Structure formats: structure tokens, C-alpha cells
Amino acid sequence: MADKHRIHFEPVDIEMEVDEDEYILDAAFRQGIHLMHGCREGRCSACKSFVLDGDIQMDDYSTFACNDAEVDEGHVLLCRSTAYSDCTIELLNFDEDELLSGVPIQDVRARVIAIEPMTRDIVSLRLQPVEPAAYEFKPGQYSDLKIPGTEEHRSFSMATTPSGAAHIEFLIKKYPGGKFAGLLDDGIDVGHEIALTGPYGSFTIKAGHVLPMIFIGGGAGMAPLLSLLRHLVETGNTRPVHFYYGARTSADLFYLEEIAELGSRLEGFVFVACLSESMDSPPTGPIEIEAGNVTEVVSRREPELGRAEAYLCGPPPMVDAALELLSAAGTPNDQIFYDKFTSPAFD
């Protein structure tokens, strides 16, 4: 049995126990402590923290997320950090209201009830929880889906809400060589079972906030944004929502009718489809179409980005471009929310 140690988090004065054979972030999940996190693979910096005291070692991380100088100073990524003594850690990025209100991590056995192509490279996968019979999560979060026949997993955001549907929907982009997505063509069928673990992520609507919301998405980043949109309708939201979705052509757009219907039940809702390659045969209906990359369109249409909350989800280059735009506009970091997936968890 692995040795156990105590972790004390500052400045929030929270303590927990950690085994020597588990990462500190995983130990927090196990005990219902909702630390900030992103990729959970040492590739982003969402869980970066500072060691005030104790023996901590990191493995298998990217120096882009935590460079050598930062490591020498005492910075660590909690998703790749193991404790070998009692430790005191300063959290650099946290939401005090959510630290102890996270949804516990669950292992769920689910059955495939539908696989439906949405575009040429995005597929809707719908799962029915079997054991347990319900899956608790917050709109905007994501899950790890185990690749059948392997010990590997891939991370995908839920497009549904816990209360709004009897099933869980994932929108999955098919990449060449994608181990999970490739099985949706041949290998995973209706009736098969898939193991999932979650929920993860901090891409959620924060209670009590009042600022207008800007959604910026692309590709399978539609999933968590659609989950948030469905949640806002369910809860009677009155905050303005402007939703910008980037695609190459009109053939890459989907769920337009539902988005329009949901938007009709919200105050101050705007949906803009941003087409980067072709404006040929644009769809008809109550949506707006603009030419250009999604961040270009947002820049043209949103002069008050610094006075809004921004929710970003899509391919990493899109998220990076959106973060640069928001930084230039003076949007405070605590008004920006995103889960930036990286390979291999992105496929």
C-alpha cells in the first residue's frame, strides 16, 4: 500500500490526503475538491501552482506549460505532480466558490443508443447510462471515454444537460488517425457499451454573475456551448448571449434550427455563423452569416469585449487566437473561460 501524505492548500486553507501513487489533481477529484484544471495531461497550465513546502516531483509534462525556470522556482502542474511528504501548495488559479462544490468523479457504464453524422467530419454520439442509471455533471463539463479494447481514453464535452435529456450526447470531430473517432465508422455500434469517467472541467456558468456572455466556438467546440445554451434556457437566464461559431463553409454548420429555437427563448440572443472559406449557398432562416474567421468577426462586431464574459471552445489555434483578441481588448482573465484540449485527448 502506498504511503499517504497531507496536502495543505493556500490561500484557501483546505487540506486533503494524497497517496504516493496518485497525482495530486486526481486525489483532489477523488475527495470532491474542484481544483482548476484543463487538459489533465501536463500540456496546458490551468493547474499550475507553487510549492511552498514539501517534496513534490513531476513527470511527463510539457515545458510550454511549465518551463524550466518556473520549475526551478517551485512551480508545478498538479495533474502531473506526486507528493512524497506532507506539502503546502499555493493555488495560483482557483474559484473559491467552486472549490468544495464540484461534482464527484463517477465511473459510468453506458450503452450507445445513436450514432449520427452531423457534418462531413462531426458525429453525434448518444449514450444511455446503465450503471449507475444517471450521470451527474455541470453543463459545459467533459468526460473521458475509454477506447474499447484498450486502456486509453479520449476527452469529449457533453452537449446535453443533466436535466434536459435522458441521454448524454457528445459531438466528436473525426480526425485522420483518430483512435476513438475512427471507431465511429467501424467498431462502435448501437447497443455497444462504453465506459466513461467524469465530469471534468471548469467551463461552467458561474452563479451570480451578471455580465453579458460571448460564446466563441468552432468544430466540436459546439458541444459545451450548446450544453451551456440549453442550460441557460432551462434556468430562465436573462443575460444577453452572443454566440459566434466558426466553420469553413455552410456545409460545416449544424443544429441551426435548435439554436434558433433556444435563442428565441432568451433575451438579447444573437447567433452568428462565421464562414472562413466559402459563402456559397448560405443557409436560410433566423441566423446571421458573416465571412471571415470567427475571431475576425467577433473583433468587428463586439467593441465592448472587456465588459463581457467570454466562453471559448474549439480547435487549439482558434482558442489561442480568441485569447489574444480578448487580451488586446482588455478582458480580465477572470472573465474568460475555456477548456483547451490537446492531442491525443483532442481526437
Side-chain angles (χ1 to χ4, degrees), residues 290-309:
E290 287 215 19
N293 293 327
V294 62
T295 49
E296 295 172 349
V297 177
V298 172
S299 179
R300 291 199 300 262
R301 295 181 56 121
E302 299 290 344
E304 300 292 334
L305 283 176
R307 299 181 181 180
E309 286 186 351

Side-chain angles (χ1 to χ4, degrees), residues 124-152:
S124 169
L125 172 66
R126 299 184 182 115
L127 303 180
Q128 176 68 52
V130 175
E131 180 59 40
Y135 179 39
E136 183 183 0
F137 61 91
K138 292 184 178 182
Q141 292 190 296
Y142 68 91
S143 303
D144 287 348
L145 272 60
K146 187 175 179 181
I147 302 174
T150 77
E151 293 302 314
E152 297 182 71

Side-chain angles (χ1 to χ4, degrees), residues 177-208:
K179 289 186 178 180
F180 188 98
L183 293 175
L184 297 176
D185 288 328
D186 182 16
I188 296 176
D189 293 311
V190 171
H192 286 181
E193 290 191 350
I194 293 177
L196 70 85
T197 302
Y200 300 105
S202 306
F203 190 75
T204 57
I205 301 293
K206 312 308 174 186

Side-chain angles (χ1 to χ4, degrees), residues 23 25-26 29 35-47 60 77-80 105 142-145 153-156 197-201 339-342 345:
Y23 292 126
L25 185 64
D26 290 335
F29 289 148
L35 300 180
M36 287 293 185
H37 58 283
C39 68
R40 299 171 21 253
E41 296 185 342
R43 301 295 181 261
C44 72
S45 58
C47 66
D60 189 25
L77 302 173
L78 297 183
C79 68
R80 282 295 180 265
I105 299 300
Y142 68 91
S143 303
D144 287 348
L145 272 60
H153 70 266
R154 294 294 183 263
S155 300
F156 302 109
T197 302
Y200 300 105
D339 281 328
K340 182 180 174 184
F341 298 121
T342 55

Side-chain angles (χ1 to χ4, degrees), residues 203 216 225 310-314 318-319 322-323 326 336-339:
F203 190 75
I216 304 175
L225 296 174
Y311 294 80
L312 323 172
C313 195
M318 187 222 78
V319 174
L323 289 172
L326 293 165
I336 304 172
F337 307 98
Y338 65 99
D339 281 328

Side-chain angles (χ1 to χ4, degrees), residues 305 321-333 336:
L305 283 176
L323 289 172
E324 290 181 9
L325 171 64
L326 293 165
S327 176
T331 309
N333 289 336
I336 304 172

Side-chain angles (χ1 to χ4, degrees), residues 239 248 269 311 339:
R239 298 164 65 185
R248 290 169 295 176
F269 179 79
Y311 294 80
D339 281 328

